[in-house]
Amino acid sequence: MSVDFKEMQATLMREMRLYHYPIAIKFFYDQAEADKYLEENEVHVPLKPMTYCQWEIAARMKGQNVYGTKEMLSCSNAHYSFGWKGLDEAEIKSHAKYTRDPEQAKRFIETKSQMPEGMVGMAVMPLANATETPDVVHFYVDNMQAYHLAVDYMAATDTHPIRPAITMNSSACGGTVFSHIANEFNMVPACSGSYNAGKTERGEINVMIPGDKMIATYERLLDRMEKLGSSSITKPGDGFPGQDVCKNCPLIIFKKSK
């Protein structure tokens, strides 16, 4: 299937009632490839170092392409996730408030997914602006939207059950890295950093899907829409997310006026 990412975003926004643009993420390990991306796209860069989840704000809320490097990133947790720093005492100290003791903090950090060393930069952009299959697509969604994405992913990839990877800290950055490295769907709550810095609403959750598997998930959505008449899983044929009433209640009934 030849993928039109503009059409994919428009369909997802319309059919899933998304609040934010899906974020396409691209990791660059070749400077020439990064330079080519910067030359061919209208790109914004952070004026001052900021967090990764703050980079994503511009992509999901403003529809902007953001390119960032190690020097533009202020969050040490994200530095670790992206392979831009190793395990050190400062990283252990930043996790100590969550754990029983520093030794446990060290062990927990060591179990996080990390990108291989050598990444020169990365881009986050609205899915519609992707010109090739993203490494990962990151959604900020509510509970029912996450459920629909998960169900379509499971059916499309013949995967069941899904086992997300929730870590202490690093929800947006580390959660995305896990999805990429493991080549799996991931669904994680906001961490304290992404809640405060990344403007994550209390009712939102992160869903990350590898790019190739996002295409399969999208194809499954289109197939359901063609066969059942709508994107709704909870009430096929109704608008998303379907009939939002108790299916056993005999009193909540509507009929056409004419």
Side-chain angles (χ1 to χ4, degrees), residues 9 18 30 46 59 80 96 102 129 143 151 160 174 184 205-206 218 234:
Q9 175 173 294
L18 298 179
D30 181 86
Y80 182 85
N129 289 3
N143 175 73
V151 169
H160 195 273
E184 294 179 7
I205 193 165
N206 299 277
Y218 175 63
T234 53

Side-chain angles (χ1 to χ4, degrees), residues 233-253:
I233 287 173
T234 53
K235 185 70 173 181
D238 274 12
F240 180 92
Q243 190 174 22
D244 192 15
V245 295
C246 175
K247 63 183 179 182
N248 295 321
C249 181
L251 301 178
I252 307 178
I253 301 173

Side-chain angles (χ1 to χ4, degrees), residues 13-24:
M13 294 294 294
R14 181 182 68 250
E15 298 296 332
M16 303 293 288
R17 308 293 197 270
L18 298 179
Y19 309 128
H20 306 286
Y21 297 128
I23 305 166

Side-chain angles (χ1 to χ4, degrees), residues 118-132:
M119 182 164 61
V120 298
M122 58 185 301
V124 297
M125 68 200 88
L127 181 59
N129 289 3
T131 56
E132 59 184 61

Side-chain angles (χ1 to χ4, degrees), residues 65-125:
N65 301 341
V66 175
Y67 179 81
T69 65
K70 177 181 178 180
E71 293 71 30
M72 300 174 188
L73 185 66
S74 65
C75 177
S76 67
N77 300 149
H79 275 122
Y80 182 85
S81 294
F82 296 139
W84 283 337
K85 65 168 280 188
L87 178 58
D88 56 21
E89 289 302 317
E91 194 66 16
I92 293 172
K93 185 177 180 181
S94 75
H95 285 71
K97 61 179 174 289
Y98 304 111
T99 60
R100 293 180 176 180
D101 51 51
E103 190 277 331
Q104 187 183 60
K106 179 176 182 292
R107 285 190 291 108
F108 282 11
I109 296 167
E110 289 172 336
T111 61
K112 290 186 179 185
S113 298
Q114 268 191 302
M115 293 293 292
E117 292 184 12
M119 182 164 61
V120 298
M122 58 185 301
V124 297
M125 68 200 88

Side-chain angles (χ1 to χ4, degrees), residues 49-253:
M50 60 183 72
T51 69
Y52 169 73
C53 44
Q54 287 173 335
W55 293 357
E56 289 191 313
I57 291 171
R60 67 186 173 97
M61 291 185 173
K62 292 187 175 182
Q64 296 174 343
N65 301 341
V66 175
Y67 179 81
T69 65
K70 177 181 178 180
E71 293 71 30
M72 300 174 188
L73 185 66
S74 65
C75 177
S76 67
N77 300 149
H79 275 122
Y80 182 85
S81 294
F82 296 139
W84 283 337
K85 65 168 280 188
L87 178 58
D88 56 21
E89 289 302 317
E91 194 66 16
I92 293 172
K93 185 177 180 181
S94 75
H95 285 71
K97 61 179 174 289
Y98 304 111
T99 60
R100 293 180 176 180
D101 51 51
E103 190 277 331
Q104 187 183 60
K106 179 176 182 292
R107 285 190 291 108
F108 282 11
I109 296 167
E110 289 172 336
T111 61
K112 290 186 179 185
S113 298
Q114 268 191 302
M115 293 293 292
E117 292 184 12
M119 182 164 61
V120 298
M122 58 185 301
V124 297
M125 68 200 88
L127 181 59
N129 289 3
T131 56
E132 59 184 61
T133 302
D135 291 318
V136 180
V137 180
H138 181 186
F139 296 84
Y140 285 78
V141 290
D142 66 23
N143 175 73
M144 189 53 59
Q145 291 164 335
Y147 176 71
H148 277 63
L149 289 168
V151 169
D152 279 341
Y153 174 91
M154 287 188 283
T157 62
D158 196 28
T159 304
H160 195 273
I162 291 173
R163 293 183 173 88
I166 300 174
T167 62
M168 287 181 176
N169 280 338
S170 312
S171 64
C173 52
T176 294
V177 170
F178 170 82
S179 181
H180 179 61
I181 297 296
N183 195 31
E184 294 179 7
F185 180 104
N186 199 14
M187 182 167 64
V188 298
C191 65
S192 57
S194 69
Y195 173 66
N196 291 319
K199 294 178 67 65
T200 308
E201 298 294 337
R202 288 180 64 91
E204 291 177 337
I205 193 165
N206 299 277
V207 167
M208 295 87 167
I209 303 177
D212 288 337
K213 293 185 174 179
M214 182 64 233
I215 294 172
T217 302
Y218 175 63
E219 289 174 341
R220 171 59 183 164
L221 168 63
L222 296 180
D223 183 58
R224 286 196 302 100
M225 289 167 54
E226 181 179 351
K227 291 179 179 178
L228 302 173
S230 82
S231 59
S232 174
I233 287 173
T234 53
K235 185 70 173 181
D238 274 12
F240 180 92
Q243 190 174 22
D244 192 15
V245 295
C246 175
K247 63 183 179 182
N248 295 321
C249 181
L251 301 178
I252 307 178
I253 301 173

